[in-house]
Amino acid sequence: MNTARPKLYLNLYWHMHQPDYRDLATNQYVLPWTYLHAIKDYSDMAYHLEVNPKARVTFNFVPILLEQLEDYTEQVKHNKIRDPLLALLTKKNLTDISNSECSLIVQSCFKSHHEKMLSPFPHYQRLLQMYQLVEPMMTNDQFHYLSGQYKADLLVWYHLAWCGESLRRTNPVVQTLMAKGVLFTHEERLQLYDVIAETIAGLIPRYKALMQSGQIEISTTPYYHPILPLLLDFQSTLDAMPDAPLPENKAYAGGQSRAVAHILSAKKAHEHYFGANPRGMWPAEGAVSHAALSLMAEHNVSWAATGQGVLANSLQKSQLSADNKHDYLYQPYRVTDGQNDILCFFRDDQLSDKIGFEYAKMHTHDAVSDFVQTLEHIHASNNSSQSKIVSVILDGENAWEYFPYNGFYFLSELYEALVNHPDIEMTTFSDIVDMYQSTDAVDAGLSVPILPQIAAGSWVYGTFSTWIGSKDKNLAWDLLCSAKKTYDVVMAKSKFNKRQREAVERQLAICEGSDWFWWFGDYNSSDSVASFDQLYRRNLINLYTLLGQPIPETLHHQISVGGGNADNGGTMRRGQE
């Protein structure tokens, strides 16, 4: 029922990110997650907006993800596939492939959330059961008992399981293959490959069209997803973690210029992919400090966003009340360095984490009702003449494999409920910025409070504990700091040509990404830790190689082992502990 209160504005913000999975020395993809999420999540998330034209949300696309999507499209165009798993899907003869290729198939093609992505498909289940029967009989990693047909069917089912629900419902090739179930031919594998290629090639144009129609806003992130406050100052860690041990290196040399490079290259990339300047920026992992926000403002970024914990800590640091989130959370704040301003939004951790971690376990109707009722409660608590602005921000790709049908029914019902609600208006961050900056804002009594102090932190627990402050993470930073010092010395006196310098800087930028530090720690699974540990060290080795410098012995030794069982496979973290 409509009330006399002003409407509640809802900023739904879906963050899309994958690190660079290429080994730049070989130009081969080491892990397949970019193209798999493309056919599952990026495709489905666009579809839900296309079939719900009244729904309005904001997406964040990290430039290095967009670059990889473009790269996959180019690979197909030139028929030079550099992702070994995708290449195997198209290989005509799978009987005589090498042991390493066999190993790649069986090690990769059961990596998915079994309950929602394997168990629903009896034919796929049987392939797993067959492997479990013969695996104890294999000696010296020999795959004598696995025929070429077995490998073909396993490759097809793995990719079918990773197809988004929108593809399953609209694509005749996917539907035909799922109905057939067994004994897939080479021609059918090529048909599935074509579907994958077409889906990836269509993604950026689909999101661009949604943006141009005004249905969505698209923001960006510093190019390779670095933790900006840590590039600028390791000491910022202590704002929210005063007792945290820090790396042996006191600072990351030249961090300010490196941070600027990531921001400027992100803006340039956004213009390339979407034909427009990004107004907003999601700092990697919502990691902010006063210096980081000021740097974004200095480079004409209008708005940024982060976690609720950062706001609570910042209010306390500013000696302002953080007793009741209904009094402080549901509005943007202005952060200024005296010359440049930026509006900062803060997510509702509870609502965001419910989508990320809780609703997959509930019946769709109950989950959507809970979400809407929570918004209604926030709306009912509003006793002012100004609208509450609720920001729900989370990973837009990793949650869905834990939902039935890749979250299809949840997202369909959620968007439907929100667009038809009389008291809720789906909006974008720039809409809110424009509202506060409009010529009649003052007459309407609209103003953004200043947040005097920023307690540096991220959307995970309001701290940087996921990236720094433990033995393994600090070691990873020290290895990067050593490499950066070598980089500075060599680049200062090198006679590299333009192409060589760009290659070296690119390799450094990859090493600065946040994902490597995210995965180090015993709370993550050993398989995931091993993959990212190896890729991080490989990237540092590539950097030393490009610089023509000897490779430190420490880079041949594992940084972190893992062994835990994190929520949702460790791909997401809750906002609150």
Side-chain angles (χ1 to χ4, degrees), residues 259-271:
V260 170
H262 283 278
I263 290 172
L264 292 178
S265 57
K267 293 183 68 175
K268 184 177 179 181
H270 198 86
E271 174 76 37

Side-chain angles (χ1 to χ4, degrees), residues 228-229 232 281 283 287-299 301 303-306 310 335-337 340-344 346 451 454:
L228 279 191
L232 296 172
M281 187 168 279
V288 297
S289 61
H290 202 284
L293 286 169
S294 297
L295 195 64
M296 287 185 272
E298 187 183 326
H299 290 93
V301 177
W303 63 263
T306 181
V310 174
V335 178
T336 181
D337 62 4
N340 304 288
D341 292 4
I342 189 169
L343 288 199
C344 197
F346 299 87
L451 190 56
I454 295 292

Side-chain angles (χ1 to χ4, degrees), residues 10-12 56-58 214-217 303 345 425-433:
L10 174 65
N11 284 324
L12 259 181
R56 300 189 69 229
V57 304
T58 303
Q215 191 176 354
I216 68 171
E217 178 176 7
W303 63 263
F345 295 82
E425 185 168 330
M426 299 181 78
T427 186
T428 69
F429 291 89
S430 285
D431 287 342
I432 303 300
V433 172

Side-chain angles (χ1 to χ4, degrees), residues 11 13 279-283 285-290 292-294 296-297 301-312 314-315 328-336 340-347 389-391 393 429-430 432-433 436-437 447-459:
N11 284 324
Y13 194 14
R279 294 186 62 186
M281 187 168 279
W282 171 253
E285 310 296 359
V288 297
S289 61
H290 202 284
L293 286 169
S294 297
M296 287 185 272
V301 177
S302 299
W303 63 263
T306 181
Q308 179 180 333
V310 174
L311 176 57
S314 298
L315 289 169
Y328 68 79
L329 180 59
Y330 303 117
Q331 61 182 335
Y333 288 81
R334 186 158 62 95
V335 178
T336 181
N340 304 288
D341 292 4
I342 189 169
L343 288 199
C344 197
F345 295 82
F346 299 87
R347 79 172 197 156
I389 298 155
V390 180
S391 298
I393 306 171
F429 291 89
S430 285
I432 303 300
V433 172
Y436 278 103
Q437 293 179 349
S447 64
V448 183
I450 290 179
L451 190 56
Q453 302 284 325
I454 295 292
S458 75
W459 70 342

Side-chain angles (χ1 to χ4, degrees), residues 386-559:
Q386 304 305 323
S387 292
K388 297 276 189 181
I389 298 155
V390 180
S391 298
V392 175
I393 306 171
L394 68 149
D395 187 313
E397 59 204 1
N398 286 306
W400 311 120
E401 66 194 75
Y402 299 92
F403 280 75
Y405 302 99
N406 205 45
F408 183 88
Y409 291 105
F410 172 75
L411 284 165
S412 298
E413 193 168 322
L414 178 67
Y415 285 164
E416 190 69 22
L418 292 172
V419 298
N420 290 312
H421 199 287
D423 295 326
I424 298 170
E425 185 168 330
M426 299 181 78
T427 186
T428 69
F429 291 89
S430 285
D431 287 342
I432 303 300
V433 172
D434 290 342
M435 182 176 76
Y436 278 103
Q437 293 179 349
S438 67
T439 53
D440 57 356
V442 175
D443 293 338
L446 287 174
S447 64
V448 183
I450 290 179
L451 190 56
Q453 302 284 325
I454 295 292
S458 75
W459 70 342
V460 183
Y461 316 146
T463 73
F464 296 143
S465 62
T466 303
W467 302 275
I468 198 169
S470 68
K471 175 177 166 289
D472 294 350
K473 296 176 193 294
N474 288 349
L475 171 58
W477 276 107
D478 281 322
L479 293 173
L480 177 59
C481 287
S482 296
K484 177 59 162 60
K485 289 173 185 174
T486 303
Y487 168 96
D488 288 341
V489 170
V490 173
M491 295 295 272
K493 60 183 181 183
S494 78
K495 293 185 172 60
F496 291 153
N497 61 33
K498 183 173 182 288
R499 183 183 60 79
Q500 290 170 319
R501 294 183 75 87
E502 287 175 353
V504 175
E505 183 177 353
R506 174 183 176 80
Q507 187 64 64
L508 173 67
I510 292 170
C511 295
E512 291 167 338
S514 72
D515 295 82
W516 323 119
F517 307 96
W518 169 288
W519 285 101
F520 298 138
D522 57 11
Y523 49 81
N524 283 317
S525 75
S526 53
D527 282 351
S528 295
V529 173
S531 295
F532 282 86
D533 185 311
Q534 187 176 17
L535 188 50
Y536 178 58
R537 288 183 289 112
R538 187 182 299 190
N539 277 315
L540 285 172
I541 288 169
N542 288 347
L543 178 58
Y544 280 101
T545 303
L546 287 170
L547 290 168
Q549 297 298 302
I551 295 162
E553 174 61 26
T554 50
L555 293 182
H556 297 297
H557 301 287
Q558 209 168 20
I559 297 167

Side-chain angles (χ1 to χ4, degrees), residues 59 69 107 109 165 179 238 303 342 380 501 569:
F59 285 96
L69 293 176
Q107 293 302 320
C109 291
E165 195 65 20
L238 304 179
W303 63 263
I342 189 169
R501 294 183 75 87

Side-chain angles (χ1 to χ4, degrees), residues 18 23 28 34 94 107 123 133 137 143 179 190 203 208 219 335 378 386 434 438 463 466 471 476 523 530:
Q18 296 294 324
D23 179 346
Q28 291 281 306
T34 295
L94 291 171
Q107 293 302 320
H123 294 298
L133 281 173
M137 302 162 65
F143 295 86
L190 291 178
L203 285 174
K208 185 176 180 181
S219 63
V335 178
I378 295 168
Q386 304 305 323
D434 290 342
S438 67
T463 73
T466 303
K471 175 177 166 289
Y523 49 81

